[in-house]
Amino acid sequence: MEQKETCFAKRVRCIVKLGGAAITSKHKLETIDEENLKEVSSHLRQAFVPDSTSANVLGMDWSRRPGQSEAPSFVDDFSDQPAGDSESFIVVHGAGSFGHFQASMSGVHKGGLSRPLVKAGFVATRISVTSLNLEIVRALAREGIPSIGMSPFSCGWSTCQRNMTKADISMVIKAIDYGFIPVLHGDAVLDTLQECTILSGDVIIRHLAAELKPEFVVFLTDVLGVYDRPPAEPGAVLIQEIAVREDGSWSVVKPKLEDTSKPVEFTVAAHDTTGGMVTKITEAAMIAKLGIDVYITKAATEHSVKALSGILKGGIPDDWLGTAIRYMS
Amino acid sequence: MEQKETCFAKRVRCIVKLGGAAITSKHKLETIDEENLKEVSSHLRQAFVPDSTSANVLGMDWSRRPGQSEAPSFVDDFSDQPAGDSESFIVVHGAGSFGHFQASMSGVHKGGLSRPLVKAGFVATRISVTSLNLEIVRALAREGIPSIGMSPFSCGWSTCQRNMTKADISMVIKAIDYGFIPVLHGDAVLDTLQECTILSGDVIIRHLAAELKPEFVVFLTDVLGVYDRPPAEPGAVLIQEIAVREDGSWSVVKPKLEDTSKPVEFTVAAHDTTGGMVTKITEAAMIAKLGIDVYITKAATEHSVKALSGILKGGIPDDWLGTAIRYMS
């Protein structure tokens, strides 16, 4: 990994993954789940902007609203006093119903920019994911969160055979140091070996977590967490706590599963067909191995509010529904 | 100026400035001049994508259109043969009715991010200019131009007391080498001395021109070019050719102005109140001093088509309406 400037002043409290499925309508092309996105943005404000309430929010999206010709009037609302900064956090979001269609139709992940279809798909994918990024930045800004959209492609991040090789995070650090909240996303990027590929949000999170050592990482998804089998199956059990050991192996701590001979890998693999949970667990375990707690829970619920608040670091309450993945020395 | 990788394979044929006034409705907040933008995009395709016609365009914006639930069907249109690449060019656009309002209401250009109004204005300005950037990328992609939006902020560009100090263009070069057309824009950026400011499209162009040495630069604006007085005044004369000398001084070559004792600086300064032409001429003269022809002309006209085609390098025809600014050794 290349990196220019590693010194930074502000400790990052949290990296939040906004799962694509949690903020878009999965089966409706390029459609945002506005209600969920608004709720999640409000929860992020409550967790990371001290003393903020829905009544005193100073919106930072000053764009014209559809159907209006004037900008909102607001400037008088900003007192000229220095304000309490928000705590440092970073948002990384997936694509959901944005980008996936364009990428899969053209095979951007497989590379080969000399093929007109792949090149066009690369352009189309970036248009789709950056338009989602803009809407998420807007939603956060409306909650008074000083959000700044940053595309991995523009940041100069690239891969070699789909593994991240170049990821200069100095601009992310600088944005944080100046009090902004970077909002990154899964993106189409250049690949030194196969010319192009898709860099997923989960891989970005792992990289940022390793470099920035946040206090904890939260994955907000459209299910409560990781189950021992597909959640729709009768008797599916939510796994509440997974322990990761030094060697990278991991095991279920809570609840005690009946069939302990059944390897967790298998149960999670079964789940993968319905939600890509194997990748999520593998990425989460790699983060937890660094000593950083990872919480996977359902977006826009009381459980996500608890995860974002950081209180789970002191222990997982019995009534918290989600999956905590933690390092066990 | 810092720079990481200067070696590049592809010679850049042209850098195009899309003036904000040419592609937005200047007096209507955040409103794109769709007709002009479509026309300009078509002209760029004709100039830089060999053998392309409006009939054989392979659109690269695959997003859902408003009111439709399905993506356009198109994939079968892409033959799997390697396509003739477009010539290398770069688009830099201004803000027009996007961004200016947010920036001027909050004073982003004057700096001071500890003031809540400035910080909010920074976020609001970036939302506005990146939303315009996305629409321009879309318009170019619909014409089959492999356009890639790149924000100066995300590229890590910054200033010191409003002068560009850090502008790593390696990612711009890489995008070009892979056959993409970078689309950059005036942006809110970090400033090491005053914390933040506005980096204008014109300053970006000057920097890119100095680093990349394109064959020529075209400024597309909403007037035909530079006049000897405000164009609305009776008897205003369009200046067709300006010569720039080694020492940076410049003079009108064509037409012969009657009152030769009147310094050009004065006549251009008078014009400045109506369109920022002094900055434009100053920037253009600095580019021309590098031996790079600069053409200022009205967007979406036959004159802009001629400028983009590069035929003016051989000489300025009498019936071409615009201002050519060229180095005279």
Side-chain angles (χ1 to χ4, degrees), chain B residues 62-215:
Chain B
W62 301 352
S63 289
R64 187 168 63 86
R65 297 286 186 280
Q68 296 186 335
S69 62
E70 303 264 310
S73 69
F74 49 80
V75 174
D76 296 341
D77 300 339
F78 284 85
S79 80
D80 219 20
Q81 305 304 313
D85 274 346
S86 71
E87 289 192 87
S88 295
F89 70 106
I90 297 173
V91 174
V92 181
H93 63 83
S97 59
F98 289 74
H100 275 320
F101 161 76
Q102 288 86 349
S104 62
M105 285 302 269
S106 56
V108 170
H109 55 291
K110 290 183 281 187
L113 280 174
S114 57
R115 291 176 55 198
L117 179 62
V118 177
K119 184 182 263 186
F122 191 97
V123 170
T125 301
R126 292 212 75 243
I127 287 174
S128 189
V129 294
T130 54
S131 71
L132 175 61
N133 182 254
L134 181 61
E135 290 312 314
I136 292 173
V137 167
R138 272 192 209 278
L140 295 169
R142 283 196 288 264
E143 287 289 329
I145 295 168
S147 50
I148 293 282
M150 298 180 76
S151 279
F153 181 96
S154 305
C155 291
W157 296 6
S158 56
T159 56
C160 178
Q161 219 171 6
R162 302 162 83 167
N163 292 313
M164 239 172 144
T165 50
K166 200 170 169 184
D168 176 0
I169 62 164
S170 61
M171 202 54 206
V172 174
I173 292 170
K174 209 177 266 182
I176 290 170
D177 279 345
Y178 278 83
F180 294 109
I181 305 304
V183 183
L184 296 95
H185 58 89
D187 202 1
V189 296
L190 301 179
D191 186 285
T192 48
L193 211 76
Q194 62 177 47
E195 296 181 323
C196 69
T197 194
I198 299 293
L199 177 63
S200 80
D202 289 341
V203 173
I204 294 169
I205 292 223
R206 194 210 323 161
H207 180 65
L208 289 177
E211 295 285 337
L212 297 172
K213 303 275 192 308
E215 293 176 38

Side-chain angles (χ1 to χ4, degrees), chain A residues 268-280:
Chain A
V268 175
H271 194 174
D272 197 51
T273 51
T274 58
M277 273 294 168
V278 151
T279 316
K280 207 167 267 357

Side-chain angles (χ1 to χ4, degrees), chain A residues 275-287:
Chain A
M277 273 294 168
V278 151
T279 316
K280 207 167 267 357
I281 289 269
T282 310
E283 294 287 341
M286 278 191 277
I287 296 168

Side-chain angles (χ1 to χ4, degrees), chain A residues 269-315:
Chain A
H271 194 174
D272 197 51
T273 51
T274 58
M277 273 294 168
V278 151
T279 316
K280 207 167 267 357
I281 289 269
T282 310
E283 294 287 341
M286 278 191 277
I287 296 168
K289 241 188 81 179
L290 303 166
I292 301 163
D293 278 13
V294 178
Y295 311 119
I296 302 177
T297 188
K298 189 169 180 171
T301 62
E302 58 177 305
H303 310 292
S304 66
V305 172
K306 276 188 186 144
L308 293 168
S309 75
I311 58 163
L312 300 181
K313 288 200 78 176

Side-chain angles (χ1 to χ4, degrees), chain A residues 125-126 129-130 151-154 185-189 197-201 204:
Chain A
T125 302
R126 292 211 76 246
V129 293
T130 54
S151 279
F153 181 96
S154 305
H185 58 88
D187 202 2
V189 296
T197 194
I198 299 293
L199 177 63
S200 79
I204 294 169

Side-chain angles (χ1 to χ4, degrees), chain B:
Chain B
M1 303 279 176
E2 250 184 58
Q3 207 183 322
K4 276 198 304 198
E5 295 163 42
T6 44
C7 57
F8 52 97
K10 270 196 179 177
R11 172 82 191 265
V12 174
R13 180 152 169 84
C14 179
I15 299 177
V16 181
K17 168 76 188 289
L18 275 185
I23 44 163
T24 70
S25 303
K26 211 170 181 173
H27 301 292
K28 272 166 109 177
L29 181 68
E30 297 191 336
T31 304
I32 288 169
D33 185 332
E34 299 282 358
E35 208 173 307
N36 254 19
L37 178 56
K38 189 173 161 45
E39 185 89 358
V40 167
S41 302
S42 168
H43 288 167
L44 289 171
R45 171 181 58 72
Q46 290 164 48
F48 301 114
V49 186
D51 308 322
S52 75
T53 67
S54 59
N56 69 9
V57 159
L58 295 174
M60 297 185 181
D61 176 10
W62 301 352
S63 289
R64 187 168 63 86
R65 297 286 186 280
Q68 296 186 335
S69 62
E70 303 264 310
S73 69
F74 49 80
V75 174
D76 296 341
D77 300 339
F78 284 85
S79 80
D80 219 20
Q81 305 304 313
D85 274 346
S86 71
E87 289 192 87
S88 295
F89 70 106
I90 297 173
V91 174
V92 181
H93 63 83
S97 59
F98 289 74
H100 275 320
F101 161 76
Q102 288 86 349
S104 62
M105 285 302 269
S106 56
V108 170
H109 55 291
K110 290 183 281 187
L113 280 174
S114 57
R115 291 176 55 198
L117 179 62
V118 177
K119 184 182 263 186
F122 191 97
V123 170
T125 301
R126 292 212 75 243
I127 287 174
S128 189
V129 294
T130 54
S131 71
L132 175 61
N133 182 254
L134 181 61
E135 290 312 314
I136 292 173
V137 167
R138 272 192 209 278
L140 295 169
R142 283 196 288 264
E143 287 289 329
I145 295 168
S147 50
I148 293 282
M150 298 180 76
S151 279
F153 181 96
S154 305
C155 291
W157 296 6
S158 56
T159 56
C160 178
Q161 219 171 6
R162 302 162 83 167
N163 292 313
M164 239 172 144
T165 50
K166 200 170 169 184
D168 176 0
I169 62 164
S170 61
M171 202 54 206
V172 174
I173 292 170
K174 209 177 266 182
I176 290 170
D177 279 345
Y178 278 83
F180 294 109
I181 305 304
V183 183
L184 296 95
H185 58 89
D187 202 1
V189 296
L190 301 179
D191 186 285
T192 48
L193 211 76
Q194 62 177 47
E195 296 181 323
C196 69
T197 194
I198 299 293
L199 177 63
S200 80
D202 289 341
V203 173
I204 294 169
I205 292 223
R206 194 210 323 161
H207 180 65
L208 289 177
E211 295 285 337
L212 297 172
K213 303 275 192 308
E215 293 176 38
F216 56 99
V217 170
V218 179
F219 285 83
L220 299 177
T221 71
D222 61 339
V223 287
L224 277 169
V226 180
Y227 289 79
D228 67 338
R229 73 204 80 172
E233 273 186 26
V237 174
L238 177 69
I239 296 169
Q240 287 175 283
E241 202 170 340
I242 290 174
V244 178
R245 279 173 298 269
E246 182 68 42
D247 63 2
S249 68
W250 38 280
S251 53
V252 174
V253 174
K254 190 174 150 190
K256 298 276 172 230
L257 297 178
E258 276 171 36
D259 184 1
T260 49
S261 65
K262 204 174 167 188
V264 177
E265 281 79 0
F266 175 77
T267 58
V268 175
H271 194 171
D272 197 50
T273 51
T274 58
M277 272 294 168
V278 149
T279 316
K280 208 169 264 1
I281 289 268
T282 310
E283 294 286 343
M286 279 191 275
I287 296 168
K289 243 189 79 179
L290 303 167
I292 301 163
D293 279 13
V294 179
Y295 312 119
I296 303 176
T297 188
K298 188 169 181 171
T301 64
E302 57 178 303
H303 309 294
S304 66
V305 172
K306 275 187 187 143
L308 293 168
S309 76
I311 59 164
L312 301 181
K313 288 201 78 175
I316 312 297
D318 282 336
D319 63 351
W320 182 71
L321 299 183
T323 305
I325 299 161
R326 321 170 81 179
Y327 179 67
M328 182 177 279
S329 58

Side-chain angles (χ1 to χ4, degrees), chain A residues 18-21 23-25 30-33 37 93-99 125-139 183-186, chain B residues 63 134 138:
Chain A
L18 274 186
I23 44 162
T24 70
S25 303
E30 295 190 338
T31 305
I32 287 169
D33 185 333
L37 178 56
H93 63 82
S97 59
F98 289 74
T125 302
R126 292 211 76 246
I127 287 174
S128 188
V129 293
T130 54
S131 71
L132 175 61
N133 182 254
L134 181 60
E135 290 312 313
I136 292 172
V137 167
R138 273 191 208 280
V183 183
L184 296 96
H185 58 88
Chain B
S63 289
L134 181 61
R138 272 192 209 278

